[in-house]
């Protein structure tokens, strides 16, 4: 183990962490000036008041400055940084202008195609259960590369629904990938992954519930893109199972959530790009868990998948599949336990419903009691002199004649 490389990796991580933490308060102030504010306009949003959504700037600066300072200008790393800057710019424009989903997808495909042209390519598929690998033709390689980059970029964007969820999940994924890359000697992408993890963790204290700032699409698209492309940089030359299994398992939670969302929308005959409240974090919230607990539960699932990926990378397939099974059971519970509500939440809901019923009953009784009182009040009101005389004349038409 090279102690010099190990110490340099930690310096890269710490620098990114400190820069991100320092610039997050700046991003909060800047968000108000440029109008990058997330106002809750629909039922999908978990927050109830306007919150700045320009935190991606801190993640971007922390990661990019650290990578530039220590990693030099390696061709593939420079390609990743260029694509990351373009993807971040796309997200910032979307935060400010709310771009159409189809336009964002087209631009993302263009950036992914640029990365393929730069040399970041998925060119083979490793045999998971043995030796050898399936080498792809150029058109297939291009398609798979674009699909991987665009898909992972959007999976991170889709799980950005609770305070700290996307940031924490991305940090866990980056740390797991960095560890596997390090033990296999891929020091350059491992350092880049640590820079990404440091930039994300420096932002997380401001983003965890209750959030002072959101990362916005600029941050989520940047994180997803960097995870997708750096995993390609790290494993494209590897001839072992890690070239295909590790990134997939590390990013298992957002991949599963996105796949389930697509299946759900197709089954309901809804557009794939249409937003809904069926994601895992929404389901946890509907079960009665608060944002903090729901986020921590999903952190655990993501960590289990990350540890499983590390096990697979060391050829510990039985242990890896065991951990994946544990994670799948947890997800199964989240998706199929509609009757579970925390006891205190259930009690609060029952008391609230009872109070509403009692209030409605009291208003109904008060209304019924007010009706005869109103009628009596009308009878007791003094009758004007003109009206009284007119009533007497009508009652006795001969009154005036007699006099």
């Amino acid at each position: 183990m090279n102690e010099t490389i190990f110490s340099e990796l930690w310096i890269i991580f710490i620098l990114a962490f400190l820069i991100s933490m320092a610039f997050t308060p700046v991003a909060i102030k800047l968000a108000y000036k440029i109008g990058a504010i997330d106002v809750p306009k629909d039922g999908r949003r978990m927050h109830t008041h306007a919150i700045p959504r320009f935190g991606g700037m801190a993640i971007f600066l922390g990661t990019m400055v650290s990578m530039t300072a220590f990693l030099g200008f390696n061709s593939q790393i420079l390609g990743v940084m260029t694509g990351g800057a373009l993807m971040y710019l796309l997200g910032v424009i979307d935060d400010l202008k709310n771009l159409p989903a189809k336009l964002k997808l087209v631009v993302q495909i263009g950036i992914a195609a640029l990365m393929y042209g730069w040399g970041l390519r998925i060119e083979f598929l490793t045999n998971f259960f043995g030796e050898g690998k399936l080498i792809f033709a150029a058109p297939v390689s291009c398609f798979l590369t674009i699909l991987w980059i665009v898909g992972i970029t959007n999976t991170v964007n889709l799980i950005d629904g609770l305070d700290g969820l996307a940031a924490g999940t991305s940090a866990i994924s980056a740390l797991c990938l960095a560890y596997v890359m390090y033990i296999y000697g891929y020091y350059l992408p491992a350092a880049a992954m640590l820079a990404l993890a440091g930039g994300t963790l420096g932002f997380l204290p401001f983003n965890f519930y209750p959030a002072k700032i959101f990362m916005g699409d600029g941050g989520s698209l940047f994180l997803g893109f960097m995870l997708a492309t750096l995993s390609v940089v790290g494993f494209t030359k590897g001839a072992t199972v890690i070239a295909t299994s590790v990134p997939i398992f590390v990013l298992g939670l957002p991949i599963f959530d996105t796949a389930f969302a697509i299946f759900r929308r197709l089954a309901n005959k809804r557009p794939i790009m249409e937003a809904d409240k069926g994601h895992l974090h929404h389901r946890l919230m509907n079960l009665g868990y608060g944002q903090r607990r729901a986020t921590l539960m999903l952190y655990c699932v993501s960590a289990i998948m990350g540890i499983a990926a590390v096990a697979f990378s060391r050829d510990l397939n039985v242990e890896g599949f065991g951990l994946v099974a544990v994670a799948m059971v947890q997800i199964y519970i989240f998706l199929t336990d509609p009757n579970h509500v925390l006891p205190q939440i259930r009690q609060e809901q029952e008391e609230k419903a009872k109070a509403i019923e009692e209030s409605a009953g009291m208003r109904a009784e008060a209304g019924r009691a007010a009706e005869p009182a109103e009628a009596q009040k009308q009878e007791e009101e003094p009758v004007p002199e003109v009206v009284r005389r007119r009533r007497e004349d009508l009652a006795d038409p001969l009154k005036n004649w007699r006099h």
Side-chain angles (χ1 to χ4, degrees):
M1 183 179 295
N2 191 321
E3 295 182 359
T4 302
I5 294 175
F6 184 78
S7 61
E8 288 181 355
L9 291 177
W10 275 110
I11 294 173
I12 292 172
F13 173 83
I14 293 173
L15 177 62
F17 178 88
L18 294 176
I19 292 175
S20 178
M21 178 169 282
F23 274 92
T24 301
V26 177
I28 295 175
K29 295 179 180 179
L30 185 59
Y32 286 105
K33 293 183 179 180
I34 65 176
I37 306 297
D38 193 319
V39 180
K41 298 179 181 178
D42 53 58
R44 291 181 60 252
R45 288 170 169 78
M46 296 293 105
H47 57 290
T48 57
H49 59 282
I51 295 179
R53 57 175 178 183
F54 203 55
M57 182 191 79
I59 300 174
F60 176 79
L61 289 176
T63 303
M64 298 295 253
V65 171
S66 184
M67 289 176 64
T68 302
F70 287 93
L71 304 184
F73 291 96
N74 172 274
S75 176
Q76 286 194 320
I77 294 297
L78 183 60
V80 170
M81 293 174 65
T82 301
L86 293 174
M87 196 65 75
Y88 171 70
L89 180 61
L90 172 65
V92 170
I93 295 174
D94 184 43
D95 287 331
L96 297 175
K97 302 295 184 181
N98 195 21
L99 298 176
K102 292 182 179 180
L103 176 59
K104 288 193 294 183
L105 181 61
V106 169
V107 176
Q108 290 171 7
I109 292 174
I111 297 174
L114 175 63
M115 295 300 98
Y116 179 83
W118 206 295
L120 301 173
R121 302 173 182 178
I122 299 175
E123 297 178 320
F124 64 88
L125 180 65
T126 305
N127 181 4
F128 190 87
F129 297 100
E131 297 181 356
K133 56 185 177 182
L134 175 63
I135 299 177
F136 300 120
V140 177
S141 174
C142 180
F143 172 77
L144 291 177
T145 302
I146 293 175
L147 179 64
W148 172 257
I149 294 175
V150 174
I152 297 302
T153 297
N154 284 286
T155 58
V156 176
N157 181 251
L158 287 174
I159 65 169
D160 188 22
L162 294 181
D163 294 355
L165 179 58
T169 302
S170 297
I172 292 170
S173 300
L175 288 172
C176 290
L177 286 168
Y179 177 72
V180 175
M181 291 172 178
Y182 178 80
I183 61 178
Y184 276 91
Y186 301 132
Y187 299 125
L188 196 66
M193 278 292 185
L194 284 176
L196 183 66
T200 307
L201 290 175
F203 165 77
L204 186 58
F206 301 90
N207 183 234
F208 196 72
Y209 183 83
K212 300 179 180 66
I213 185 172
F214 296 152
M215 68 173 65
D217 280 359
S220 60
L221 293 181
F222 174 74
L223 283 177
F225 176 86
M226 296 296 284
L227 287 170
T229 52
L230 287 175
S231 64
V232 172
V233 171
F235 300 130
T236 47
K237 296 182 180 180
T240 64
V241 69
I242 64 172
T244 51
S245 66
V246 170
I248 292 175
F249 283 108
V250 166
L251 299 167
L253 178 62
I255 289 174
F256 175 85
D257 191 43
T258 300
F260 184 76
I262 292 174
F263 174 78
R264 180 177 64 250
R265 292 164 190 172
L266 289 175
N268 295 328
K269 298 181 179 180
R270 305 297 299 176
I272 294 178
M273 303 290 290
E274 182 181 71
D276 60 23
K277 293 189 67 175
H279 293 284
L280 285 173
H281 52 271
H282 288 128
R283 290 175 176 267
L284 286 175
M285 292 295 292
N286 291 336
L287 291 176
Y289 298 98
Q291 288 203 49
R292 189 187 300 272
R293 289 185 177 88
T295 300
L296 292 175
M297 292 168 71
L298 292 176
Y299 282 176
C300 291
V301 174
S302 183
I304 292 172
M305 295 296 291
I307 297 172
V310 173
F312 283 125
S313 73
R314 307 302 296 267
D315 294 327
L316 302 173
N317 294 336
V318 174
E319 293 83 349
F321 279 117
L323 290 171
V324 171
V326 172
M328 290 298 102
V329 169
Q330 291 296 317
I331 293 175
Y332 172 80
I333 293 173
F334 299 160
L335 296 177
T336 61
D337 196 9
N339 295 320
H340 173 72
V341 179
L342 292 176
Q344 64 270 28
I345 300 296
R346 180 186 298 168
Q347 182 179 358
E348 292 174 2
Q349 292 176 342
E350 292 176 350
E351 292 176 354
K352 184 177 180 180
K354 184 178 179 180
I356 293 175
E357 292 179 357
E358 292 177 352
S359 177
M362 293 176 62
R363 286 197 299 269
E365 292 179 0
R368 288 192 296 268
E371 290 178 358
E374 184 68 20
Q376 182 178 1
K377 179 180 178 181
Q378 292 178 356
E379 292 178 359
E380 294 177 353
E381 286 181 353
V383 180
E385 182 66 15
V386 176
V387 176
R388 185 182 62 77
R389 290 180 179 179
R390 181 58 179 165
R391 288 177 179 176
E392 291 177 355
D393 291 341
L394 291 175
D396 187 4
L398 300 178
K399 175 182 177 181
N400 294 329
W401 182 80
R402 292 194 191 100
H403 293 285

